Amino acid sequence: MPIGTAVHERTFPLCQSLNYREWSGFYAVSVYETHHEHEYNAIRNAAALIDVTPLYKYLITGRDATRFVNRLLARDINKVAVNQVIYCCWCDEDGKVIDDGTITRLEENCYRWTAADPNLRWFRQNTIGFDVQVEDISEQLAALALQGPTSGKLLKSVAEADIENLKYFRKTSGKIAGVEVDISRTGYTGDLGYEIWIPWPDAVKVWDALMDVGRGFDIHPTGMLALDVARIEAGLILADVDYVSSKKALIPSQKFTPSEIGLGKLVHLDKDNFIGKQALLEEKKRGPERLLVGLEIDWNEFEAMCDAVGLPPQTPATASRVHVPVYRGRDQVGKATSTTWSPLLKQLIALASVEPRCAPPGTELQIEMTVEAVRHRVTATVRQLPFFNPARKTKTPV
């Protein structure tokens, strides 16, 4: 049975919908109101406060911490400075992705590692021969994501920290409501945003301070439904939806290499040996078997199909995680894994895994859609990811 996070006593009274989901053994709010419209608009137009405490969090320390991290990661950790954050993935010996997440270099040999799934056993299995300690701090450290165009000014007004000079994917430390916190310029919305890392017992104090000051910045507590729409617009993948961890895969086709899920740029094949390197070198020679792309679905075609049976077209109420076939002519060439109506772009969009020959932007494919229990094929044009990439995401905002 799920339990409450460090700020559950605050999120529960605000959750009018009582719409929750289980996330890593915790209650996570799906949507606070009956619909996620206001919460999505907060992400894109104001400030959204999201409880991301259920993320798995690990502390890596010891004399060999850097060598250990570099051994597991496909990305070169030696290029990462203290107080820098990187997005990364780690693979098994066959070069298939186990998980993806972020790593913050806190000190020369001290790292905070986040993950979607539990990875403690895998990490500790690989500590043999290294002077390193791996500690699961998931229930010692709460995390709040403050995202949206006004988030920078809000944070500057409430935090005793150098927010003004905090660059993209960098970390600073300071205080909020007298609580010592780490603040990273990161997030899962593809917009301007920050993540605040808080000692578990003090999380409510920080939540209250952000909400109190945030009234002047139109802050909204925001749940997973709005976050799902935003991350698809940003072209950000989700484990167990857009790819399957190689630890969970039941058949070979469910396992993905980094290049097959859009993470090829995070693989540094010129670095020291790492787990999966040989397999990824071989893949580089032959090329990936599939690629992650964005699809823009022809709304006029879908509207005509609905009109033909006397129904008005309806935009999906929430993002869909149901996989649907993608075709080119008579052949199935892939599948869409995440689909949503983008309120900002006024488009029906999807993330899809397709054969490389179908991946160039502008390629016309067909996606399967159902109207009144009848399956149809609707034109879907390949688009470059991300769909939405505002300049404010990386600019200094205040």
Side-chain angles (χ1 to χ4, degrees):
M1 180 177 176
I3 60 175
T5 71
V7 293
H8 185 70
E9 64 185 271
R10 292 293 185 266
T11 60
F12 179 72
L14 294 169
C15 186
Q16 301 171 15
S17 69
L18 292 180
N19 188 343
Y20 285 88
R21 65 184 63 188
E22 186 271 337
W23 176 11
S24 301
F26 293 95
Y27 283 111
V29 177
S30 293
V31 58
Y32 284 87
E33 301 180 15
T34 54
H35 193 278
H36 61 274
E37 178 183 12
H38 292 149
E39 296 164 37
Y40 168 82
N41 285 333
I43 293 174
R44 292 292 181 238
N45 300 298
L49 187 58
I50 309 166
D51 181 12
V52 294
T53 298
L55 281 170
Y56 285 94
K57 300 170 284 283
Y58 302 97
L59 188 66
I60 316 296
T61 57
R63 185 182 62 186
D64 293 335
T66 298
R67 288 203 308 119
F68 169 76
V69 171
N70 215 36
R71 166 71 176 160
L72 267 63
L73 281 193
R75 191 166 177 175
D76 192 349
I77 199 67
N78 291 308
K79 297 179 180 179
V80 179
V82 172
N83 289 329
Q84 184 177 351
V85 188
I86 60 167
Y87 175 50
C88 54
C89 63
W90 47 105
C91 302
D92 60 21
E93 288 289 359
D94 297 322
K96 307 298 184 179
V97 176
I98 293 174
D99 205 347
D100 67 301
T102 62
I103 293 182
T104 305
R105 191 166 195 170
L106 302 173
E107 299 172 12
E108 191 64 27
N109 278 306
C110 181
Y111 299 86
R112 182 169 57 234
W113 195 328
T114 71
D117 285 334
N119 280 266
L120 185 62
R121 183 171 180 268
W122 171 257
F123 291 161
R124 287 183 172 171
Q125 281 178 330
N126 286 282
T127 59
I128 297 173
F130 292 98
D131 182 1
V132 64
Q133 293 78 47
V134 181
E135 182 184 1
D136 186 341
I137 58 171
S138 301
E139 295 186 27
Q140 300 173 31
L141 198 65
L144 299 175
L146 182 65
Q147 306 284 301
T150 66
S151 62
K153 291 182 179 179
L154 190 168
L155 204 52
K156 184 183 176 183
S157 66
V158 74
E160 299 174 41
D162 188 12
I163 303 302
E164 188 168 0
N165 296 308
L166 185 59
K167 295 181 179 180
Y168 191 50
F169 269 77
R170 295 297 190 276
K171 178 204 77 89
T172 189
S173 298
K175 291 183 179 180
I176 297 177
V179 177
E180 297 278 356
V181 297
D182 282 345
I183 301 169
S184 56
R185 181 85 180 272
T186 51
Y188 194 51
T189 63
D191 216 311
L192 172 63
Y194 304 82
E195 290 176 316
I196 305 162
W197 309 88
I198 315 157
W200 191 283
D202 298 317
V204 169
K205 295 179 185 177
V206 175
W207 174 280
D208 288 345
L210 292 169
M211 290 297 290
D212 288 345
V213 176
R215 291 192 185 96
F217 299 89
D218 198 19
I219 195 171
H220 283 68
T222 297
M224 298 297 107
L225 293 184
L227 184 60
D228 219 11
V229 175
R231 67 98 185 166
I232 295 170
E233 291 176 334
L236 300 174
I237 58 174
L238 180 61
D240 296 332
V241 176
D242 302 301
Y243 79 96
V244 179
S245 166
S246 67
K247 294 188 299 182
K248 299 178 181 179
L250 301 177
I251 54 177
S253 64
Q254 290 180 344
K255 299 180 181 182
F256 291 79
T257 67
S259 294
E260 292 177 335
I261 53 175
L263 304 184
K265 61 185 178 182
L266 307 183
V267 177
H268 296 163
L269 292 172
D270 57 345
K271 61 173 268 191
D272 294 339
N273 192 36
F274 61 91
I275 298 173
K277 180 177 180 178
Q278 189 56 46
L280 294 176
L281 282 168
E282 293 171 5
E283 184 200 46
K284 186 178 181 181
K285 295 176 184 177
R286 66 176 185 271
E289 296 181 1
R290 50 200 165 178
L291 294 171
L292 178 76
V293 300
L295 295 180
E296 183 182 298
I297 300 166
D298 192 314
W299 180 258
N300 291 332
E301 281 189 26
F302 178 63
E303 186 175 21
M305 290 173 183
C306 294
D307 186 58
V309 296
L311 288 175
Q314 291 188 349
T315 58
T318 60
S320 171
R321 299 178 176 183
V322 177
H323 293 186
V324 294
V326 173
Y327 302 92
R328 189 174 191 179
R330 299 178 62 181
D331 300 325
Q332 182 176 350
V333 294
K335 61 184 178 182
T337 53
S338 296
T339 308
T340 189
W341 172 261
S342 167
L344 183 73
L345 304 175
K346 303 296 187 289
Q347 295 282 352
L348 192 57
I349 58 175
L351 301 181
S353 177
V354 302
E355 295 176 9
R357 64 188 176 92
C358 302
T363 303
E364 285 198 354
L365 305 174
Q366 297 82 40
I367 187 171
E368 189 172 280
M369 299 188 73
T370 302
V371 178
E372 275 300 277
V374 178
R375 295 176 181 176
H376 300 269
R377 295 186 185 183
V378 179
T379 300
T381 305
V382 176
R383 298 300 185 206
Q384 188 74 40
L385 290 175
F387 296 102
F388 179 66
N389 189 28
R392 62 180 177 243
K393 179 176 76 174
T394 55
K395 280 188 176 179
T396 303
V398 288

